[in-house]
Amino acid sequence: VGLLSLYQTSLAQCTARTSEFQLKGDYLIGGLFDIHHSNVSVYHDRPEFTDCSSQPFILSSYRRFQMMRFAVEEINNSTNILPNVSLGYEIFDQCSDTQNFPEMFNLISNNGLIQPWDEPLKNLSKVIAVVGSSTSTETRTVAPLFMMNLIPMVSFYGASSSVFSRKKNFPSFLRTVHLNKDVIEVIVKILQHFNWRWVAVLNVDDDYGNDGRTLFINMIKDTEICLAYTKALDSKTDYTPVFKQMQAQRIRIIIVLAPEWTAEALIKAAIQLKIKDKVWIAADAWSLNKKLPKEKGIKSIGTVLGVSQPVVTIPGFSDFIYSSKSQNHCENSEQERFCNQVCSCSNMSAEDIIAADPSFSFPVYSAVYAIAHALHNTLQCGSGGCNGNITVYPHMVLAQLRKSNFTLLNRSIAFDENGDPKHGSYSIVFWNHGGDAEKVGFYHYDPLLHFCINNSKIQWYTTGEVPTSQCSQECSEGYSKMYDGIHKCCFKCEICPNGTYVNSTEDPYKCINCKETEWSAEGSTSCSLRVVEYIPFTDSGAIVIMVGACTLMGLTLAMSVLFAINYNTPVVRSAGGPMCFLILGCLSLCSLSVFFYFGKPTTSFCILRFLPFLLFYTVCLACFVVRSFQIVCIFKIAAKFPKLHSWWMKYHGQWLVITVAFLTQALLLLISYSLVPSKPYNETVWSRDKIILGCDINLKALSGPLVLLLSLCSLCFTFSYMGKDLPKNYNEAKAITFCLLLLILTWIIFSTVYVLYRGKYIPTLKALAVLSSLYSFLLFYFLPKCYIIIFQSQKNTQQYFQSLIQNYTKTICQ
């Protein structure tokens, strides 16, 4: 109470004409408009009020002020709403964010007193509701004074900060203007529509601007838009470094979240600094500005787009302004005077007011009507009148305001649980060369979200083409992005290598590996299925090798028959006698493995490719080891070590060696295949577009069988080489040596090819190497014996062989 008295004492010297600011009625509505605006915050060493009439005049705000007066007069003249009840108003010019408290105290007082909470609710305040304030900061400053007594506060203009949706802090706050969130949502839609990704945000340094910037940053997180630069603006901002920074970063899209007075200073600075080739996106606070589009040099700064409240033509408003301006309000000196109810606008014509920026005129109009409807319902009004026995308190009006649901000029007016408007839309405008804000699109919130822009109506500064704004040019197809700096819009392009692809829709920053069954060339955007290849049984090479294997089996059978017929001849006996049949049988069994190198590999096929060959070829080599040893023993050891020779013959040492070799190899193979069985394997490295089916060979697991095989081969070669100087016509050792050399040469050639080539025909080459290993013994060891038996029978006699041995023995003894 004392604080209010102090203010009233300090204001006693103020004089003002107040006829436009006050109207008596049965119920009063408060109004807070920034008809003047104080840009500069001045430090005071003692409490002072701000004389708004000395501050810069805002014509668009004065138009909104007149809209409230018109709405009240229209309601008072209506018989459909509040019949026989008159509305009055008490309006103040709130030109400062923090220094207009006298007006607030005036509104919440009654007869100059402010009632404490613990006293009866009667005479709580002189107003039942308040229309305003204008900006978020002004609202946040004064709102708590109204919130404490639940006086409805219906905002219509710049109080769009999302903070006011918190009902815990602002329980009696409502608004007929959309939130910052909605405006930012439209701006983001515009950026996405034109594929603009590299943008700057310039916002006024207050609750409205900072809230808008924060919302924008949060809203673009999951998009391809990057905030390259942001700057909070105030009356002291030096625009030169601001524009220099944006030029340095090659920013072409500038979003301006600011009231009209800040936007005017910004655009004028841009013109003065000769800023060119920009796209300016204006928020709804200044997108319909009437002064800037006609500013000299405005065309040079680029293209201006904006988001605006839809312009609604309100019938009767123009007539009201003409009527109001024709009256002289200056003579009325008997009215109660209060400061900041003064307007330095006597030189404003009706035409000036009507032609002013129409932004937020309908939200003012609908705010007044929403309060009137709430009061209408509180008083239980009907066609016959209202219930005059009801004492109206602000909180009762608030309760009805929250339930608002009516149609005004074909537009639905309703509030959600946060006091925000449920319905509405935005217009998208373009400042054409004629100096007008031309509608080029819209964004509807209800009943469904709908966004549309007519690109053909926009005259770009680029003479037809839509301007681009990107930190980095988009990568070509098949290239992935690699971050270059802190912004996701700044990147380098790297081509995806073979076997990978990039999906620009899901993740443009990663080259994704193709599946094993797929392949891709360098710089691909998708993978293709690999061609599956293996050697079928019908392959010509496979047929030739299988015929060769069958021929080998036929030859071994024929030789076995021939040797059986001539079993007791010296040639057969010298070739090994019964051991010949074992060798020939094992060679036939080895040839079975050849057939499993063809067809689609299976686990059993993979095992049978190696098992018969390794097992039975071990027996063959063991036989030749024994045979080579016997030859050396007969011609060399027998003469020098007769006891050793007799022991070998007595205990059948040859069969003992063969049996041990066979059992050892069988055991090693059983262990290796039990631990790591051979299985089908897909070769995908050698050919990028093919899958070559093969068998996985674990050399570690097969190391035991292979070492045994190599050991036998080495022993055989050693013993056979020791017999190189045997009788010329008795060439058993020489034949074995030659066969072993062919065997070694065969596998050296195969190993070399295997290192250099891993293609489809590796199984064919393996089968060929196996067959060659078998034929080396068949052709160069057994075939000469068959030739002697069939064509040189004179050499197949006991006398011939004995003569050779006797001659060699004499040679050794000399």
Side-chain angles (χ1 to χ4, degrees), residues 582 585-586 589-590 611-623 625-626 654-671 704-705 708-709 712:
L582 178 61
C586 286
L589 291 172
C590 285
L611 181 63
F613 178 74
L614 291 173
L615 182 61
F616 296 112
Y617 206 72
T618 299
V619 177
C620 290
L621 286 178
C623 290
V625 168
V626 170
Q654 66 272 30
W655 297 111
L656 184 63
V657 171
I658 294 169
T659 303
V660 170
F662 173 75
L663 292 176
T664 303
Q665 186 69 297
L667 180 63
L668 291 173
L669 287 170
L670 180 64
I671 293 171
L708 178 60
L709 201 65
L712 291 173

Side-chain angles (χ1 to χ4, degrees), residues 435-469:
D436 297 317
E438 178 184 352
K439 182 179 176 181
V440 295
F442 58 84
Y443 188 85
H444 290 314
Y445 290 94
D446 190 71
L448 295 173
L449 293 177
H450 189 51
F451 175 78
C452 179
I453 294 181
N454 187 345
N455 296 354
S456 61
K457 288 186 176 182
I458 303 173
Q459 300 167 346
W460 303 106
Y461 68 83
T462 50
T463 62
E465 295 183 1
V466 177
T468 59
S469 185

Side-chain angles (χ1 to χ4, degrees), residues 535-548 598 760-761 764:
I535 305 297
F537 287 104
T538 55
D539 181 77
S540 56
I543 292 172
V544 169
I545 290 174
M546 287 188 290
V547 169
F598 310 110
K760 171 183 176 181
Y761 292 99
T764 303

